[in-house]
Every structure is written in structure tokens, then in C-alpha cells.
Amino acid sequence: MQDEGIGVHAVKAVQERFLVPPEMEIVDGGTAGLNLLPFLESRDRVLFVDAVDFGQEPGFMGELANDAIPALFGKDKSSLHHLGLAEVLALARLLEILPKEICLIGIQPQAMEPGLELTELLQGKLERLIAHISDKLREWDIQLVPRSPSPLSS
């Protein structure tokens, strides 16, 4: 869904550009729903990156932490297979497996039509989003080390 995939694009870019420290696990939880619960259990910190409707102009980037991240059950859920982040966090809270610290770095989408590519606007914000992810991880004492350029790319 075009800009809805910003988190997937960001995660892929981080994995391609940086060596992942052993204490860090990167998960593409795009449509995982309840399957995210095991990734929350026994974690001290979890960083989510996603398209978020902040009610701002497209491309706006924001950060929510802990209780500021909505964790509630929606009224219109007809199936547990279609749970969003808010419902997963609400269930994790009920199960008492919510990490001590959670952060959501989000960006306001421009378009949510079917498609695999980001809009030009969000594509242009991807570098800033990756820098924000790196800064947050550094704040948590996790250093992302750039991968060495391939000898073939010189």
C-alpha cells in the first residue's frame, strides 16, 4: 500500500547498510499481527518504524514513546488476523509482556493506494528516517556500524 510500506523500506535499508550488533534483532513485522507477540516478550526495548497518521502534512516525522503509543482494542475488528500495532500492544500489556521501553518512529504517509513503491515524497524522506533510527539506537547505546563497501562497487 505505497507509503504504508515505509517501515519495510527503512528496515531493509538498515539491514543492507549496517552490520547488526548481536544484541539487536531486526524484524519486518509489517502484517504480522499477533505473530509480533513473541518478539515483544522478554525484550527490554523495542523500536517500531511505520507509517503513522499524525494528522500532519505528508512526510511529517514524529516519535512516540511508551504510553504515548496508542495501545487499545479497536471497535471494528472483525478478525484477530487483522490486528494493528495498537491492538498488539494492548494485548501485550494484558499479557504483561510489554517491553520496559518502546518507541515508535513514524512518518505521515502521502498515499495509501495499492503499490509496492513509496511516493516520491516519502522516498525523499527515507535518508532522514534512517538517520532518526540510527540516532534512537545510539541513544539506547546501540551503535550501527556501516558495512564496508564491496570491492566490486569501487
Side-chain angles (χ1 to χ4, degrees), residues 21-34:
E23 69 273 14
M24 183 175 136
E25 184 175 9
I26 296 178
V27 175
D28 172 3
T31 58
L34 288 176

Side-chain angles (χ1 to χ4, degrees), residues 131-144:
H132 195 140
I133 293 166
S134 180
D135 290 345
K136 185 64 185 181
L137 291 172
R138 192 175 312 109
E139 185 181 309
W140 286 350
D141 294 323
I142 298 171
Q143 299 296 322
L144 291 179

